[in-house]
Amino acid sequence: MIEARGIKKKFGNLEVLKGIDFNVEKGEVLCIIGPSGSGKSTLLRCLNRLEEITEGTIKIDGEDIHDRKTDVNKLREKLGMVFQSFNLFPHLNVLNNITFAPVELKKMDKKQAEEKARYLLRKVGLEDKALVYPEKLSGGQKQRAAIARALAMEPEIMLFDEPTSALDPEMVGEVLQVMKDLARDGMTMVVVTHEMGFAREVADRVIFMDDGLIIEEAAPEQLFTAPQNPRTKDFLSKVL
Ligand code: ADP
Ligand code: MG
């Protein structure tokens, strides 16, 4: 589903991605861990062209995302994204937050979009919040609504950038549970996270990034119990 080769990204003179290669297979959950500033968010943002890469190639579903024929809007429909800050539209209730893009961008019938939204709200455990405005939701509820909103576009891949980092501890579990359900249902996912327990339990593979490079890539059991690189060991000793 994702094939990234030789990805480099500079902001001015600062090179934040220094040659990244990775693949994600259909239905696979890839977790990316690593210290702050290592380039994790930038890498995710390059996948849907929220950032433009300086060098390299990225194929999504076999299609080069920098090909002149590639429609960036279509590309972004394929890749649902969930951020640390929930980014819900404050002036729309939860239901309309979810139906907005399907109706406006995909020209989905409004009634059909609402049915789909209510189904997704049930899935994330928010069926009773459809008509509530974001300000009345807890952080965990906002993030679950944001996940439902991303799913409403029927993405092929879900990208999560530290989706639980802004949450009070008691709300982390409910969001991780929704993500676990998604993984179990076969969604292809790339998850930047500090939740090592989640990575260990749910990831098919884990990547450790440091200073713009992939330092180590392994199955979670391997990476968490027997890291090979001293930098991985050092990072894990600080966070576990
Ligand atoms: P992470 O998500 O791993 O914490 P980021 O991808 O956010 O790392 O950032 C990697 C580096 O790129 C950091 O040094 C950060 O300051 C820098 N950076 C990120 N976005 C920009 C930007 N838009 N302009 C300039 N520098 C940026
Ligand atoms: Mg980040």
Side-chain angles (χ1 to χ4, degrees):
M1 286 293 262
I2 305 176
E3 201 183 312
R5 287 291 169 272
I7 304 307
K8 295 189 181 175
K9 169 68 183 172
K10 281 187 179 172
F11 291 108
N13 289 327
L14 181 68
E15 190 170 46
V16 302
L17 300 176
K18 300 179 176 173
I20 300 266
D21 298 285
F22 71 98
N23 288 345
V24 182
E25 307 298 329
K26 192 171 169 62
E28 194 178 29
V29 179
L30 175 71
C31 283
I32 303 177
I33 63 171
S36 181
S38 55
K40 305 179 300 297
S41 296
T42 303
L43 180 60
L44 273 197
R45 293 165 58 81
C46 287
L47 296 177
N48 59 9
R49 292 186 64 181
L50 288 175
E51 299 288 357
E52 292 296 338
I53 57 178
T54 315
E55 262 182 65
T57 55
I58 300 173
K59 288 184 183 170
I60 305 285
D61 236 353
E63 188 184 12
D64 186 334
I65 67 170
H66 295 95
D67 194 292
R68 272 189 301 125
K69 286 183 302 216
T70 299
D71 177 339
V72 177
N73 293 322
K74 285 269 177 304
L75 170 74
R76 291 189 184 144
E77 285 180 13
K78 277 191 194 176
L79 297 151
M81 188 147 184
V82 174
F83 303 88
Q84 183 175 339
S85 54
F86 325 109
N87 300 347
L88 294 169
F89 306 121
H91 60 292
L92 296 179
N93 68 28
V94 169
L95 190 75
N96 289 332
N97 258 281
I98 298 173
T99 58
F100 182 81
V103 170
E104 298 301 323
L105 303 178
K106 274 197 163 174
K107 307 295 173 204
M108 194 188 273
D109 172 69
K110 176 113 181 147
K111 189 136 179 289
Q112 196 190 337
E114 283 182 5
E115 268 170 33
K116 169 108 193 165
R118 290 199 182 265
Y119 164 79
L120 290 169
L121 284 173
R122 269 199 306 283
K123 238 175 125 150
V124 301
L126 290 177
E127 56 270 69
D128 55 338
K129 301 291 181 196
L131 303 179
V132 170
Y133 283 79
E135 62 178 8
K136 298 275 193 252
L137 298 178
S138 71
Q141 290 169 336
K142 280 183 202 164
Q143 196 58 304
R144 286 185 281 143
I147 293 172
R149 184 176 61 173
L151 292 173
M153 292 299 275
E154 302 182 331
E156 292 175 30
I157 302 167
M158 284 287 285
L159 308 176
F160 292 89
D161 192 359
E162 296 192 29
T164 60
S165 293
L167 298 177
D168 291 332
E170 72 270 24
M171 292 167 190
V172 169
E174 66 196 48
V175 172
L176 293 180
Q177 187 56 51
V178 167
M179 294 168 63
K180 281 180 202 172
D181 293 345
L182 260 183
R184 193 201 49 213
D185 291 348
M187 178 60 81
T188 307
M189 295 165 52
V190 181
V191 184
V192 174
T193 187
H194 290 301
E195 293 293 330
M196 298 302 148
F198 175 87
R200 195 163 177 163
E201 182 185 339
V202 182
D204 296 297
R205 258 182 317 129
V206 181
I207 281 176
F208 170 66
M209 269 182 79
D210 195 8
D211 197 20
L213 286 168
I214 294 178
I215 303 298
E216 190 161 348
E217 174 179 344
E221 259 329 287
Q222 163 80 36
L223 193 120
F224 288 114
T225 58
Q228 300 298 301
N229 191 292
R231 281 153 84 179
T232 320
K233 280 182 199 165
D234 181 55
F235 175 75
L236 290 176
S237 75
K238 288 175 185 147
V239 298
L240 285 180

